[in-house]
Amino acid sequence: MPSWLYSRKHVLLLLYMFLVEAFVLNSTSVRIAYAVQHDPRVTAIGVFNSGIKNETEFAKSLADRITKPIFFFLGGPTDVVYPNGERAYARIPKGTPKWKGNLDVGRGGDYSRPNCGKFAVAASNWLKWVLRGNSNVAPFFTGSGHGTAAGAGWVVEHRDLENIKVSSWD
């Protein structure tokens, strides 16, 4: 766990982040994030092992209107909600910063691994970038080779990440 998570000044940041700022979610609660993404306090969306469950007009219209940076962390083809994440990612409009990583570990990621696994590393880097304004971690999502999501085994796809505008919380 990053040392900044332990500092007193970031305790409120974490609570705020999970309640408003980043809107981190998993499973079927993805509809909530899509619905509140127009709230000016929401600056990014993180989708963990989830997506659009079906192609109803309601579900499609929510994804079609996403404008905030959105990152999908999926468990690969063996994850039961993999098709949902793929479907949602495909519907995000052009111009919206989006990233999708698939790590073939199945439902629930690899959080039971030492140090919470590769999902935790990716999530930590996502928080550092979109919430803390640390653009030094952007290559984790956009690059290849050692020290990147792709280098760690994620199958990565992204678009318009250069449009992410963040400011530091430090």
Side-chain angles (χ1 to χ4, degrees), residues 129 134-144 147-150:
W129 187 14
N134 183 350
S135 60
N136 292 330
V137 298
F140 176 84
F141 297 99
T142 60
S144 60
T148 68

Side-chain angles (χ1 to χ4, degrees), residues 29 31 55 79 83-84 100 109 117 122 134 155 162 169:
S29 59
R31 286 184 177 192
E55 284 289 324
D79 184 347
N84 302 356
K100 178 183 64 175
N134 183 350
V155 176
E162 67 279 358
W169 280 83

Side-chain angles (χ1 to χ4, degrees), residues 21-104:
E21 185 73 21
F23 227 91
V24 177
L25 48 96
N26 66 4
S27 199
T28 57
S29 59
V30 74
R31 286 184 177 192
I32 297 168
Y34 292 160
V36 301
Q37 72 98 16
H38 293 291
D39 184 317
R41 296 170 295 176
V42 174
T43 60
I45 300 171
V47 179
F48 292 78
N49 302 94
S50 191
I52 297 175
K53 186 173 182 178
N54 55 46
E55 284 289 324
T56 65
E57 289 307 310
F58 173 72
K60 290 190 294 188
S61 71
L62 290 176
D64 290 347
R65 292 179 284 158
I66 296 289
T67 59
K68 307 289 173 71
I70 185 166
F71 286 63
F72 292 84
F73 303 85
L74 305 173
T78 59
D79 184 347
V80 68
V81 296
Y82 169 80
N84 302 356
E86 292 292 317
R87 186 178 304 117
Y89 182 84
R91 294 208 65 91
I92 304 302
K94 185 173 177 147
T96 299
K98 66 180 187 174
W99 181 89
K100 178 183 64 175
N102 274 297
L103 186 64
D104 197 9

Side-chain angles (χ1 to χ4, degrees), residues 115-132:
N115 299 313
C116 297
K118 295 176 182 179
F119 264 72
V121 171
S124 177
N125 282 325
W126 172 69
L127 293 171
K128 288 175 187 174
W129 187 14
V130 301
L131 288 185
R132 299 200 66 221

